[in-house]
Amino acid sequence: MSPNATAEPAALRLHGVACTFAGKDGASPRYTAVRDVSLTVGAGEFVSVVGPTGCGKSTLLNVAAGLLAPSAGRVEVFGAALTGINRRAGYMFQSESLMPWRTALQNVMAGLEFRGVPDARALAGEWLRRVGLGGFGDRYPHQLSGGMRKRVSLAQTLVLDPDIILMDEPFSALDIQTRQLMENEVLDLWAGAGDARRAAPGGSAAPRGGRREAPEDRSSRKAVLFITHDLDEAIAMSDRVVCLSAGPASHPIGEFAIDLPRPRDVAEVRATGRFNELHTAIWGVLREEVLKGYQQQLAA
């Protein structure tokens, strides 16, 4: 848990959350995706949730975003009960979310325009520069590579300056090299998230590809809830990893503090002994649940 958790309310807290869905046309049995899920993300903390396919990870993210009301339990955002959309959160989806009729710059501007921000174009241009796409603002999504589109989506999320960032397997469709570049990009931007609020349009960004040597100041970071199937990704990026059981009625079965030093390079950290120790420990908890989930898929 974040060291700040005792001094201020958690950024996001799920208490005993359950989500049950009605059967199709009322004929099929009701299905409980998750049950008795309690989860906390401290201010400035990066928490990943891992578990078998179909265990309800994305369901929990939708609950945290306020897109899905839980059947039981409650959600708190910085100590206040969440009712409706979580307006302190930004959501980066697994699937493509860019509007194909808008350019990269116009896509990043969209949320600012909806909010009536007067300098939307300048702010959007600054965030495109921060993700390395300053010269691609006039390109349409179909003119960009998969990695570039993910960078635009990242800028689209962060330009709104959310206090909480929700990420649903955002890089799962990318090749391994592009994926690692994007993972490092997220860590760089997260480590310097406080700079975004203070940066003037046209200001300089940190060197791309290098790790920020910033002090450990969680007050300048966003809270991140990151969903992934990739245990290596979860360990390399996170402060904590939460493991879910196989469904139905999926629930937390383990929680691990990731004590790898920061800043991190996601490729280099995988070669360390401590990374391997953490991977062995977490996989020991997950393995049977992953096999159980796989058998359920085969039997379906």
Side-chain angles (χ1 to χ4, degrees):
M1 181 175 293
S2 165
N4 287 346
T6 58
E8 60 181 321
L12 181 66
R13 190 185 301 274
L14 278 62
H15 299 266
V17 164
C19 291
T20 299
F21 301 95
K24 184 177 180 181
D25 300 324
S28 303
R30 293 163 65 86
Y31 180 83
T32 298
V34 295
R35 178 185 292 159
D36 296 328
V37 175
S38 294
L39 174 68
T40 299
V41 182
E45 189 179 25
F46 197 123
V47 176
S48 287
V49 176
V50 297
T53 298
C55 72
K57 299 184 293 296
S58 296
T59 298
L60 290 178
L61 211 62
N62 287 333
V63 169
L67 299 175
L68 176 66
S71 307
R74 67 187 190 277
V75 181
E76 294 178 2
V77 178
F78 291 97
L82 177 63
T83 56
I85 298 298
N86 185 349
R87 301 192 180 280
R88 300 189 68 172
Y91 201 145
M92 189 170 174
F93 296 92
Q94 178 180 4
S95 59
E96 292 284 349
S97 59
L98 301 180
M99 292 171 276
W101 61 90
R102 297 181 69 119
T103 65
L105 180 64
Q106 291 168 342
N107 267 286
V108 178
M109 287 171 57
L112 297 171
E113 290 176 325
F114 297 153
R115 295 185 179 186
V117 176
D119 53 347
R121 179 172 292 272
L123 289 170
E126 169 61 17
W127 268 103
L128 279 179
R129 286 189 287 275
R130 287 175 69 89
V131 299
L133 294 177
F136 294 85
D138 61 346
R139 305 289 180 88
Y140 289 90
H142 73 273
Q143 297 174 313
L144 302 172
S145 69
M148 286 179 171
R149 290 195 296 272
K150 286 299 181 183
R151 290 180 188 275
V152 176
S153 294
L154 184 60
Q156 188 181 53
T157 301
L158 297 182
V159 73
L160 298 174
D161 195 24
D163 296 309
I164 303 167
I165 302 172
L166 307 173
M167 308 185 82
D168 188 5
E169 299 191 71
F171 313 132
S172 59
L174 300 178
D175 64 83
I176 186 62
Q177 292 89 355
T178 304
R179 183 171 182 159
Q180 290 182 351
L181 287 173
M182 286 301 306
E183 290 165 352
N184 278 335
E185 189 76 42
V186 167
L187 290 181
D188 281 347
L189 292 170
W190 172 71
D195 298 337
R197 189 179 285 114
R198 297 184 292 271
S204 59
R208 295 180 53 73
R211 308 276 65 79
R212 293 177 184 266
E213 297 296 337
E216 283 289 311
D217 179 11
R218 287 182 184 267
S219 65
S220 70
R221 294 177 175 175
K222 310 297 186 180
V224 178
L225 182 58
F226 190 93
I227 300 299
T228 180
H229 281 97
D230 188 338
L231 182 53
D232 283 13
E233 181 178 59
I235 297 170
M237 299 184 74
S238 307
D239 295 316
R240 272 190 302 129
V241 173
V242 176
C243 303
L244 293 184
S245 71
S250 180
H251 56 277
I253 56 172
E255 181 177 306
F256 297 83
I258 307 301
D259 53 3
L260 299 169
R262 295 190 187 273
R264 300 177 194 162
D265 181 288
V266 298
E268 294 175 0
V269 76
R270 286 171 165 86
T272 65
R274 181 55 181 158
F275 181 94
N276 292 325
E277 291 172 1
L278 288 164
H279 191 285
T280 298
I282 300 172
W283 181 241
V285 170
L286 273 180
R287 183 177 184 277
E288 290 302 319
E289 299 301 318
V290 170
L291 292 175
K292 185 188 301 183
Y294 180 65
Q295 292 300 322
Q296 290 173 350
Q297 286 184 319
L298 293 179

